[in-house]
């Protein structure tokens, strides 16, 4: 079969699929996968990483570009905001994101384990007890705060491994600044100069930033810093060293007790 005939068949199949979905929209019988497909057609740049039934009657819950949205099961409306069950006094958003976090932990753990240390910027604790992997941006206030307090983390036995997450995209000035860090001979100094002194290296080279951003999309990360723990759990935002160390120590104690 020629290329033109293959292309014609593919177009026909696409039209048929959209026609079937459109018919189901009218009947109100869409599945989660069909709603995801429909949203992709309507918003091609929207990255939906998860979609399933929600506790909100008549709605699917979807993780889209790191944010939680609710989509009606007929695929017509979506809502972005906090859903509260007033009778049971529950924040449905919090319960949904917690469930997703736990669901994706094994996947994040596996993907992070595949990375090479040479593709990270690492600040190693002398008496290492824990390792955190931090997706960081260069213009993020809480990223700078975390880095400014890095010695507090290191003193508590927490090794910091940085991955790049330029929130404005791979073609942004932030991405260029991060490239300068990853391409420097002394990445640690370049990271500190950039975050705390606003001194940026202009070095350029092949780098892993695009691969880091692939993980950002796969994990559905929406902000920085995003902290991935050794078990794959995600902390979405800055957490002081003292609090983080207490949580990590507790998790380690529970794991050891379970053996």
């Amino acid at each position: 079969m020629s290329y033109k005939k293959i292309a014609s068949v593919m177009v026909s199949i696409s039209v048929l699929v959209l026609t079937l979905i459109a018919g189901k929209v009218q009947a109100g019988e869409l599945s989660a996968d069909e709603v995801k497909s429909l949203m992709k057609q309507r918003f091609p740049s929207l990255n939906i990483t998860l979609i399933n039934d929600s506790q909100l009657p008549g709605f699917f819950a979807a993780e889209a570009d790191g944010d939680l949205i609710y989509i009606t099961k007929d695929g017509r409306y979506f809502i972005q905001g906090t859903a509260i069950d007033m009778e049971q006094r529950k924040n449905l958003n919090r319960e949904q994101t917690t469930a997703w976090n736990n669901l994706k932990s094994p996947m994040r753990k596996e993907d992070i384990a595949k990375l090479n240390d040479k593709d990270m910027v690492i600040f190693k604790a002398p008496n290492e007890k824990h390792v955190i992997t931090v997706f960081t941006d260069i213009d993020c206030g809480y990223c700078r705060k975390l880095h400014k307090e890095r010695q507090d983390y290191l003193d508590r036995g927490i090794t910091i491994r940085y991955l790049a997450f330029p929130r404005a995209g791979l073609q942004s000035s932030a991405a260029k600044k991060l490239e300068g860090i990853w391409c420097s001979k002394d990445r640690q100094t370049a990271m500190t100069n950039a975050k705390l002194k606003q001194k940026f290296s202009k070095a350029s080279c092949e780098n892993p930033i695009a691969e880091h951003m692939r993980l950002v999309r796969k994990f559905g990360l929406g902000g920085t810093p995003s902290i991935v723990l050794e078990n794959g759990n995600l902390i979405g935002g800055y957490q002081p060293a003292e609090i983080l160390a207490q949580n990590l120590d507790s998790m380690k104690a529970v794991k050891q007790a379970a053996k």
Side-chain angles (χ1 to χ4, degrees):
M1 186 181 290
S2 70
Y3 172 80
K4 288 185 178 180
K5 286 185 178 180
I6 293 173
S8 177
V9 169
M10 292 304 295
V11 169
S12 298
I13 291 173
S14 297
V15 170
L16 176 60
V17 169
L18 288 175
T19 301
L20 291 172
I21 289 177
K24 286 194 173 185
V25 168
Q26 294 177 356
E29 299 177 352
L30 289 183
S31 68
D33 286 341
E34 287 169 336
V35 167
K36 182 178 179 180
S37 177
L38 190 62
M39 291 291 287
K40 189 64 178 177
Q41 292 292 331
R42 291 172 174 170
F43 307 100
S45 63
L46 192 67
N47 180 36
I48 295 181
T49 49
L50 284 170
I51 182 167
N52 55 22
D53 283 327
S54 76
Q55 295 184 58
L56 198 62
F59 284 82
F60 289 115
E63 185 182 62
D65 291 326
D67 293 324
L68 170 60
I69 63 173
Y70 294 97
I71 310 171
T72 54
K73 290 190 173 182
D74 62 2
R76 181 171 180 179
Y77 303 101
F78 82 82
I79 300 171
Q80 184 174 8
T82 303
I84 303 293
D85 184 331
M86 293 189 291
E87 184 174 315
Q88 298 188 30
R89 297 179 180 274
K90 292 194 303 184
N91 183 322
L92 302 185
N93 288 41
R94 185 177 298 120
E95 292 196 356
Q96 183 68 66
T97 52
T98 298
W100 280 343
N101 188 12
N102 294 335
L103 180 67
K104 293 196 292 185
S105 291
M107 175 265 290
R108 284 191 293 259
K109 179 180 178 181
E110 181 179 348
D111 283 340
I112 292 293
K114 294 176 183 177
L115 298 177
N116 196 309
D117 284 357
K118 69 180 179 61
D119 291 330
M120 307 179 186
V121 180
I122 300 176
F123 291 80
K124 187 174 177 60
N127 183 27
E128 184 180 277
K129 294 165 42 180
H130 309 288
V131 176
I132 60 173
T133 305
V134 182
F135 286 84
T136 192
D137 198 0
I138 206 64
D139 300 321
C140 153
Y142 277 107
C143 296
R144 290 195 291 266
K145 180 175 176 60
L146 188 155
H147 191 72
K148 185 176 182 180
E149 299 170 3
R150 67 193 179 282
Q151 196 59 48
D152 292 342
Y153 296 85
L154 301 180
D155 290 344
R156 287 175 168 81
I158 302 173
T159 287
I160 301 170
R161 307 191 307 179
Y162 282 122
L163 301 182
F165 179 5
R167 291 174 299 172
L170 288 171
Q171 305 305 317
S172 65
S173 61
K176 198 65 181 175
K177 292 172 184 176
L178 286 165
E179 180 183 6
I181 294 170
W182 256 261
C183 295
S184 295
K185 292 182 179 179
D186 185 346
R187 292 180 182 173
Q188 289 185 332
T189 298
M191 180 71 78
T192 299
N193 285 342
K195 287 193 172 183
L196 304 186
K197 299 179 181 179
Q198 297 291 292
K199 293 182 178 179
F200 305 109
S201 167
K202 294 184 179 180
S204 182
C205 65
E206 289 188 15
N207 61 76
I209 296 176
E211 173 62 16
H212 295 175
M213 287 296 284
R214 185 189 69 79
L215 291 180
V216 166
R217 292 188 292 273
K218 183 175 181 180
F219 295 172
L221 304 182
T224 51
S226 288
I227 304 171
V228 181
L229 308 183
E230 289 172 284
N231 64 358
N233 282 1
L234 175 68
I235 297 175
Y238 163 84
Q239 194 167 94
E242 182 179 4
I243 302 289
L244 181 59
Q246 290 173 357
N247 291 336
L248 292 173
D249 287 342
S250 296
M251 289 169 53
K252 191 172 185 178
V254 170
K255 183 178 179 180
Q256 291 175 341
K259 290 182 178 180

PDB file of all heavy atoms in Angstrom, residues 1 9 27 64 143 167-169 186 204 238 254:
ATOM      1  N   MET A   1       0.851  -1.201   0.000  1.00  0.00           N
ATOM      2  CA  MET A   1       0.000   0.000   0.000  1.00  0.00           C
ATOM      3  C   MET A   1       0.883   1.246   0.000  1.00  0.00           C
ATOM      4  O   MET A   1       1.866   1.306   0.740  1.00  0.00           O
ATOM      5  CB  MET A   1      -0.901   0.008   1.251  1.00  0.00           C
ATOM      6  CG  MET A   1      -1.934   1.151   1.265  1.00  0.00           C
ATOM      7  SD  MET A   1      -2.968   1.138   2.773  1.00  0.00           S
ATOM      8  CE  MET A   1      -3.944  -0.329   2.473  1.00  0.00           C
ATOM      9  N   VAL A   9      -6.164   6.235   4.726  1.00  0.00           N
ATOM     10  CA  VAL A   9      -6.822   5.309   5.653  1.00  0.00           C
ATOM     11  C   VAL A   9      -6.757   5.843   7.079  1.00  0.00           C
ATOM     12  O   VAL A   9      -7.742   5.802   7.831  1.00  0.00           O
ATOM     13  CB  VAL A   9      -6.179   3.912   5.563  1.00  0.00           C
ATOM     14  CG1 VAL A   9      -6.683   3.028   6.703  1.00  0.00           C
ATOM     15  CG2 VAL A   9      -6.484   3.268   4.221  1.00  0.00           C
ATOM     16  N   ALA A  27     -24.853  11.157  23.940  1.00  0.00           N
ATOM     17  CA  ALA A  27     -25.534  10.148  24.745  1.00  0.00           C
ATOM     18  C   ALA A  27     -25.053  10.137  26.191  1.00  0.00           C
ATOM     19  O   ALA A  27     -25.638   9.479  27.039  1.00  0.00           O
ATOM     20  CB  ALA A  27     -25.325   8.768  24.112  1.00  0.00           C
ATOM     21  N   ALA A  64      -3.713  17.272  34.677  1.00  0.00           N
ATOM     22  CA  ALA A  64      -3.373  17.922  33.413  1.00  0.00           C
ATOM     23  C   ALA A  64      -2.280  18.948  33.652  1.00  0.00           C
ATOM     24  O   ALA A  64      -2.501  19.942  34.346  1.00  0.00           O
ATOM     25  CB  ALA A  64      -4.601  18.592  32.808  1.00  0.00           C
ATOM     26  N   CYS A 143      13.148  27.702  45.355  1.00  0.00           N
ATOM     27  CA  CYS A 143      14.327  26.933  44.946  1.00  0.00           C
ATOM     28  C   CYS A 143      15.588  27.604  45.496  1.00  0.00           C
ATOM     29  O   CYS A 143      16.513  26.937  45.979  1.00  0.00           O
ATOM     30  CB  CYS A 143      14.413  26.849  43.420  1.00  0.00           C
ATOM     31  SG  CYS A 143      13.056  25.958  42.655  1.00  0.00           S
ATOM     32  N   ARG A 167      10.603  26.025  34.115  1.00  0.00           N
ATOM     33  CA  ARG A 167       9.139  26.041  33.995  1.00  0.00           C
ATOM     34  C   ARG A 167       8.650  26.771  32.747  1.00  0.00           C
ATOM     35  O   ARG A 167       7.553  26.499  32.253  1.00  0.00           O
ATOM     36  CB  ARG A 167       8.525  26.672  35.250  1.00  0.00           C
ATOM     37  CG  ARG A 167       8.674  25.807  36.504  1.00  0.00           C
ATOM     38  CD  ARG A 167       8.181  26.545  37.726  1.00  0.00           C
ATOM     39  NE  ARG A 167       8.949  27.755  37.953  1.00  0.00           N
ATOM     40  CZ  ARG A 167       8.640  28.670  38.866  1.00  0.00           C
ATOM     41  NH1 ARG A 167       7.556  28.520  39.600  1.00  0.00           N
ATOM     42  NH2 ARG A 167       9.397  29.737  39.028  1.00  0.00           N
ATOM     43  N   ALA A 168       9.447  27.697  32.238  1.00  0.00           N
ATOM     44  CA  ALA A 168       9.037  28.447  31.044  1.00  0.00           C
ATOM     45  C   ALA A 168       9.326  27.689  29.754  1.00  0.00           C
ATOM     46  O   ALA A 168       9.020  28.182  28.663  1.00  0.00           O
ATOM     47  CB  ALA A 168       9.735  29.809  31.020  1.00  0.00           C
ATOM     48  N   GLY A 169       9.908  26.502  29.863  1.00  0.00           N
ATOM     49  CA  GLY A 169      10.136  25.687  28.673  1.00  0.00           C
ATOM     50  C   GLY A 169      11.587  25.606  28.248  1.00  0.00           C
ATOM     51  O   GLY A 169      12.444  26.364  28.727  1.00  0.00           O
ATOM     52  N   ASP A 186      32.608  23.145  37.116  1.00  0.00           N
ATOM     53  CA  ASP A 186      32.253  23.018  38.530  1.00  0.00           C
ATOM     54  C   ASP A 186      30.767  23.347  38.662  1.00  0.00           C
ATOM     55  O   ASP A 186      30.374  24.494  38.853  1.00  0.00           O
ATOM     56  CB  ASP A 186      33.099  23.967  39.380  1.00  0.00           C
ATOM     57  CG  ASP A 186      32.858  23.799  40.877  1.00  0.00           C
ATOM     58  OD1 ASP A 186      31.860  23.151  41.255  1.00  0.00           O
ATOM     59  OD2 ASP A 186      33.650  24.339  41.668  1.00  0.00           O
ATOM     60  N   SER A 204      27.987  26.124  27.023  1.00  0.00           N
ATOM     61  CA  SER A 204      26.999  25.391  26.234  1.00  0.00           C
ATOM     62  C   SER A 204      27.553  24.020  25.866  1.00  0.00           C
ATOM     63  O   SER A 204      28.757  23.893  25.590  1.00  0.00           O
ATOM     64  CB  SER A 204      26.651  26.185  24.964  1.00  0.00           C
ATOM     65  OG  SER A 204      25.655  25.510  24.227  1.00  0.00           O
ATOM     66  N   TYR A 238       8.776  23.483  48.650  1.00  0.00           N
ATOM     67  CA  TYR A 238       9.849  23.596  49.652  1.00  0.00           C
ATOM     68  C   TYR A 238       9.419  23.009  50.987  1.00  0.00           C
ATOM     69  O   TYR A 238       8.260  23.160  51.405  1.00  0.00           O
ATOM     70  CB  TYR A 238      10.210  25.069  49.819  1.00  0.00           C
ATOM     71  CG  TYR A 238      10.984  25.395  51.085  1.00  0.00           C
ATOM     72  CD1 TYR A 238      12.372  25.235  51.133  1.00  0.00           C
ATOM     73  CD2 TYR A 238      10.325  25.870  52.221  1.00  0.00           C
ATOM     74  CE1 TYR A 238      13.070  25.539  52.281  1.00  0.00           C
ATOM     75  CE2 TYR A 238      11.021  26.187  53.372  1.00  0.00           C
ATOM     76  CZ  TYR A 238      12.398  26.018  53.408  1.00  0.00           C
ATOM     77  OH  TYR A 238      13.088  26.315  54.552  1.00  0.00           O
ATOM     78  N   VAL A 254       9.787   3.100  59.906  1.00  0.00           N
ATOM     79  CA  VAL A 254       8.642   2.248  59.563  1.00  0.00           C
ATOM     80  C   VAL A 254       9.068   1.144  58.617  1.00  0.00           C
ATOM     81  O   VAL A 254       8.670  -0.026  58.768  1.00  0.00           O
ATOM     82  CB  VAL A 254       7.511   3.103  58.934  1.00  0.00           C
ATOM     83  CG1 VAL A 254       6.433   2.203  58.341  1.00  0.00           C
ATOM     84  CG2 VAL A 254       6.913   4.039  59.972  1.00  0.00           C
TER      85      VAL A 254
END
